Every structure is written in structure tokens, then in C-alpha cells.
Amino acid sequence: MIDGEFNYRYAGVQRVLGILLMIFSVSMLLPVAVGALYGDGELAAFVIGFAVTLATGFMAWAPTRQVRRELKIRDGFLVVVLFWMVLSLFGAIPLWLAVRPDMSFTEATFEAVSGLTTTGATVLVGLDTLPHAILFWRVLLHWMGGMGIIVLAVAVLPMLGVGGMQLYRAETPGPIKDSKLTPRIRETAKALWYLYVSLTLISALLFWAAGTSVFDAVGNAFSSIATGGFANHDLSLGYHGSAAIELVAIISMLAGSVSFGMHFMVWRNADPRIYWRDSETRTFVIMILAATTIATVVLMVAGTYVGLGDAVIKSLFQVLSIGTTTGFTTTDYSIWPSFLPMFLLLGGFVGGCAGSTTGGMKVVRSILLAKQGVREISRLVHPNAEIPIKMGQKVIPDRVVQAVWGFFAVYVTVFVLMFLILLSTGLSELTAFSAVAATINNIGPGLGEVSSNMASIPAAGKWTLCLSMLLGRLEVFTLLVILTPAFWRR
Amino acid sequence: MIDGEFNYRYAGVQRVLGILLMIFSVSMLLPVAVGALYGDGELAAFVIGFAVTLATGFMAWAPTRQVRRELKIRDGFLVVVLFWMVLSLFGAIPLWLAVRPDMSFTEATFEAVSGLTTTGATVLVGLDTLPHAILFWRVLLHWMGGMGIIVLAVAVLPMLGVGGMQLYRAETPGPIKDSKLTPRIRETAKALWYLYVSLTLISALLFWAAGTSVFDAVGNAFSSIATGGFANHDLSLGYHGSAAIELVAIISMLAGSVSFGMHFMVWRNADPRIYWRDSETRTFVIMILAATTIATVVLMVAGTYVGLGDAVIKSLFQVLSIGTTTGFTTTDYSIWPSFLPMFLLLGGFVGGCAGSTTGGMKVVRSILLAKQGVREISRLVHPNAEIPIKMGQKVIPDRVVQAVWGFFAVYVTVFVLMFLILLSTGLSELTAFSAVAATINNIGPGLGEVSSNMASIPAAGKWTLCLSMLLGRLEVFTLLVILTPAFWRR
Ligand SMILES: [K+]
Ligand SMILES: [K+]
């Protein structure tokens, strides 16, 4: 039975997707349990969603269950892209079916994409009155998406060679056996899974200890470790009005924005100094502190907050929240004075460390871009000098530097194209610019009309932003490559 | 006498600047003649300007007149940067001294920088009532700046190795003798000078034949060949309301936005097909036509213009005007529908061909960026393929490609920094964004509050924009390199 019509080129991909869908379907039973516990309904939407997803997954898997084709590198691109696209569509089903909130297909898909890509941009208002099942589903999408991103960033993308990510091959846990994807991914994924679950548990306990409800503790933990940003309240974390809770959020977001390969090494060696010895992590922390200082100074000069302590806390929280591309808010930073709103939003382009759940271009790429810029200026003074580009002690091969350049150029190009498309839907320049920035970098909230939610964006714009979120999450190249004819040639 | 206190490290630079200032001072006598001819005053401002500039130039030159130091490559950076900075300051003197218009020192400097860098952003309103001497000086600054830019772009920058411009070494007229700057620049400059004067003469004759006054014919010719954009009327070229005059402007702007090295080869070989055989020129024309088509379709769909002919002409003129970074307007395109205003403005980032008078990053760099982006995507499908980057038949060395990447990253970084500075002066996002885009790309008009003039920008913002214009004109690196400590070490 392993030969025949179902042993075709993409049988392996279909098999993996079928399995993923069946696993994913089971996750829809969790909101059913939560909804039953709190007794505020919308259980049917999730039960139907579960059944449809499970059935589809089974139908995809069953004919290929005997197939033993190894996944090839190229199949990896397909699996990754389909993982986010297909799971987003099925994840949208319960949101679409639910009576409260009453969402269109477009809105439900947007919310599910925003969840799975850990963007956290919402089209919902009135969160505080929504059923618990719905709220839980949103943060669960974040949490599952975050797990997927780490496997993607630590194990899959470096192997696929996307945008200079091969930099991270040597640093990821586990041996590199060969070019076959499955064994390596499985091994790495297991270690990451333990870490991810442990960090989430700790975060939830801390949130709960700081005074949130159990429901919010779990929700905030899911949302912050995944640097997602969905909250259970319209006021985001500002709802709690508690410095302790904000502190827990800060720690959790930081945990989510450092490479999980780094967490792994710290854990294995029981040596937290490893964080500081890593130049990417160090640069990330320094950048956050520098940006916080700038924000504090501007806020104090403008007199936005009366006390220095208040300004420092608000600055740190908001800089970290946007800089890690989480997107929680404790205040409406979009009306902060001077250049601050745009400064924070543009900071999201840098994002967190590679191998974390954050969006954006990643700190390591920004470092390489800066070093290359400085090198070019040095070369004008010393035209014949050979100036290698290093990260720590390691000389970065030209091929990797080139990949990072290509990444940057394509990122900017894709950004500009989507910005123009958004403008064509009639949005203002600020709204269109910040909506694309907030989605391609998987931040969540933007400026202008999209500073708290994206409900007012026209449908065509919402679909464009779905693409934007996926492009950002898939590091642009992963999605673009499957659009090339060369990809589909055998 | 050639030894001694004046034979110091920078004596050669001082000598060249002294000579340039003396030559420049003579140009201030032209507005005196024009003012005398039209009898509407402000002669004194230019006579004083002439005297001060001549005296300063003489005082700089006299002590170094016996110095026979050859200019070194590194001196080239200083000469180029000081050329634009010093000449802008002295060029501002008559504008500052004049009674009509009554300009502050900041405003006069802004206008002079805008003139010499061929940006064409103005802080003046009521142009139609200004004295002829003032109007003539503005376009004369354009024209002289344009000449300087061509020498800079064709002869100096490739030799200095700025941002991949060494690409153009092989294509420029005249032999490359050695690393000494003077003989080569002199030879090249002479050929370019003839070409530049000839094209300007032809353009002026065509404008006059199309029906402008002699004064406007000269002004428009100066302004369009230099892709500057200063006009003698508040309505810019829209004042004339003549399709024939717009057609002449289109031809003139095109002439100014093609590499003058290319003009030289066409002229020497008497073969205009050379334009089309050059991949940069070809791409430039195709991009203009494509953008015109897009603009026409959007304008027709939105019903902005009734007739197709009208929409095509307005589109072609405005796309070309912004695309060549000239900045003439025949209509207020900033209120065009949909994404068009931003589309045109962002098109200015591409600019015209390298070796022309245009601003922006230049078509050749955009081509290389696009090719590198495509290469990186291809590499994902064919990880082991060697894919060279070519322009026409020529394989571009990695070093040059790297220089272009460095250029792009630094360009974007500098843009973002100035954008944030402008925001801190209290401008709206659209105004700040477009003001920086319009100046760093040497376009002139922006969007929002700066769609027709920059009078409303606060003084701090005007100074930042002066820096922006200079950075753009000096291809960023030329100015940045002299800010590095390494540059000043012997
Ligand atoms: K987020
Ligand atoms: K211009």
C-alpha cells in the first residue's frame, strides 16, 4: 500500500499536516472545559470546531498513514507555511461560529492569525464581557503559536537557511545529524517543550501570586511568554493597575524574548552568566535600557508624569512591551509626546533575539547590519584593509552577511508594498504605516486609529494585514520562496 | 616659500576652497546684472555678497598659493563636503541681506542649501512678486550645484569608493591615471562642462520656443537640467498652464536624470541607441512608464480627471518630476487619491541614474538590491548554487555589492534618525516623514504641511533638513566618513 496514488510528491507533507491538525483539534477541547467551568457558554462553537478539525486532519492523514517518505528540506518550507495558514483557518472556526462575539469570517480569521502568529492585534472591543472560552482560546492560540515559533526559529529556519539564520546552527541544542528534518526537529522540540512549559508555569504562578485571578494568571502567562499581547481586558495590563503584576509581565516578556537555545544552555550548565556572555542577549538588554532612558527623559521634560519613578516604570514597561513585540499596554503610549510613539514602534522592527517568540528583524540581524554599515565607512578611510565581521569571537561568513542583507531589503520592500496597499483602502498615512509595522513585526497595537484595536480597518486591509502577520512570522523568505516557480520544479 | 607654516596637512584643501570661493563669488555678479536689467532692485545684497565671498576666498588662497601639495584621496572627502557646506553659507549671504524677501539667517541658509543641493524645497511664498535678482540666484544655485554633482558623481565619488560607485569607474570618460585626484577630475570636468552647458542651452531655447518669457526659459532650464525644482512662480510649472512647456520640462528633466557619462558616450559615438543598451537607463525609463501607468489607472478609477489624455499627461509629468527628484508640480499631487502621493514620494528614494543630477539612492543601486534579494530567495531553493550578480554582461564583485548594502542600511538609518528628530519639533508624522524623504532624496516638495513649501517647519527642523539635504547630496557616506576619528588620523 505504500506505492500508488497516495505516495505522491507531497504525501509526506500531507501526512504531517494531517497529524498537526488532529493534535490541534484536541486543543479546542480546552476552551470547552474552561467554558464549562465558568458556565458562560459558547461551548458548541468549540465542539463543532474540534469535530471539523479532527475530521479534516484524519482525512488528510488516513490515506498517507503508510507513507514513509522522509521530509526533504524543501518540504520544510511547505509544512511551515501551511502550518500557520491552515491552523489559522481552522482556529478561526470557533470564533466565527460563536454568538458572542459576533465575528465575520474575515474578523475571525484575522483574530486567529493574530493569535497564532503571536501578533496580538485584535479586532474585538469589549473584551471584559466576553465568554471565558473565547478569551482562553485567544491566549491559547498565542501559546501554541509561540511554541511553534521557537521550534521554527531554533530548529527549522536555520536548517532551511532563511535570512542568515544558519548563524544559529552551531548554538542550538542537540547534534546535527544530517539534512533530514524529522529526527533533529523531534529531539530539539522535546527540550524546548519542557523549557517552554516550565517558563509558562513559573510565569503563571508569579502572576497569580502578584494578585491576578487564576484565569488572568494563565492568560497573561500564555500571552507574555509567547510575546503575543492578547489580554483579557480592554485596558490590557493597565486593567490590573498593579506594579507587581507589571513587574511579573516584564520578567515574563524578557523570558520570551531571549533565544530559547540560550535558556537551554543556561539551564543545562546552571549558569545564568551565559546570558550576558552572549553578544545578542547583551545588546538586546542594553538597547532596552537605552531606549527606556530616552523615553524617561522625554516624558520628564514634557511633564507627562509627575514623579521620576512613575516615568521610569511606564517607560520601561512600554519600551519592553513594544521592543519585545509583545504589545501589552499600561498606558496609551500612542499619545506620548514628541517622537516617542514612532520611536517605540520603529524599535519593534529590531524585535528580540533570534530563537525567541518575538517578531521583528531580530537583534542579531540588526547588529550585523550595523557592523556592515560601519565597515563600509571604515573601508573609505582604509580602502585596502580586510575587515572581517564578527559576532563575539566568531567571524561571520560573507554568505551569512549577504543573507542578512537580502533579508533586510526584502523586509523593507514587502513593508512598503503593504503600506501602499493599506493606503489604497483609504486609511491615513499614520494608521496605514503603523498597522503594517505592528503586524509585520508581530507587535500588535499601532498608532493613530489602530492604537488599541484594528476593528476599523476595512476588510481588504484586514486580509492584507493577515498576510503581513504571516510574512513577519515566517521571516518573509519562508513564505516568499514558495511563491517562486523554481520552488515547484522537482 | 613652499615650506613653512602654510604648507601644513590641509593647505591643499584650503587652496582649492579658496579658488572655489573666488570663482563662486563671481557668480554673484550675474544676479546683479539681471537685477539691473529688470530694474527691480536688491543689487546691493549681491554686491556685498560678492565682495565678502571674494575677500574670504582670497584670504584662504593667498597664503597657500605657493603650495604644490597634490590632493590625496582622503582630502577629496573634505573638499567635497566643504564645497557644499561653505558655498551654501556664502550663497546664503545675499538672500539674508536682501530686503525683499525678508529672510532670517536660518531661512536664507535653508534656501541656499536647497538650491546648491538641487533639492528645490523652498521656505519662500509669494515667488511671483520677488525681485528678478533673487529668483535668478535661486536657479543659478541649482545650476551650479548640478554641475558640481555631476563632477562629484562621475569623477570624484567612484574614485573615493563611496557606496558602490566604483561600479561606474570603467564607464566614465577619460583614462584612470593614478590615485591623484586633480588631473583626472580636470579632464573629466571639461567634457562634462560642455555637455552640461549645451543641454541647458537647448532646454532654454525649447522653453522659450514653447512660450515662456526669456527669464522663465533660463530659469526653468537651469532648474530642470539640474533636477532642482525651484520655479519662479508659486504654482511651479502649473503657472504656465501649457502642455508644450510641460513637454519641454519632461525632456529636460529626463536629460538631467540620465548619467552624464552616458550622454558623453552617446555624443562621442553619435548613437542614441547607447541609452537603451544601458541597463540602468533602460530600467529607469521602464520604471517611470510603469509608475505612470499605475498613476493613470488610479486617477481614472477615482475620477480625479475626466479625460484619459489629461490623466496620462498629469501622471507622466508628476511621476517624472518626483521620480527624477526634480520636484516641479503642475497640480497638487499631495491630494491625489489612494496611495498615489506616498507612492510618488517613495519613488523618489530610487531617484534617477547614477552620474546624473538627481537625488535618491539611484536606479543602479536599486537594481543591485533587488537582484540580491532575488538571489537570496533562489539560494533557499538551490542552496549550493553559485549565483553571480550581473549588470548587463558584467559580474559585479562582492565588494561592490557589499558597499551598496552598506549604503542602503546607512541611508535607512539616517532617514529614521532625522524622521525622529523632526517629530520632536512637534510636526505630524506625515509632515515629518515626507519632509525628510523630500530632502534626503533632494526632491523638494513633500506631503502634508510641506506639500508646497517648508516655511512652517520650526528653525531646529530647518537645520535638520539642511543636514538631510547635504547627506543625500553627498551620498551619505562622504559626509559621515569625515565624522569618524579614523579619518583624522594621519
Ligand atoms: K505581539
Ligand atoms: K529636486
Side-chain angles (χ1 to χ4, degrees), chain A residues 161 338 379-380 383 399 402 424, chain B residues 161 375 379-380 383 399 402:
Chain A
S338 191
R379 274 179 172 173
L380 293 177
R399 175 80 177 246
Q402 283 171 20
S424 77
Chain B
R375 172 165 80 169
R379 274 179 172 172
L380 294 176
R399 175 81 177 245
Q402 284 170 19

Side-chain angles (χ1 to χ4, degrees), chain B residues 118-120 142 227-229 325-327 442-444:
Chain B
T118 77
T119 306
H142 267 350
T227 64
T325 74
T326 307
N442 302 118
I443 301 171

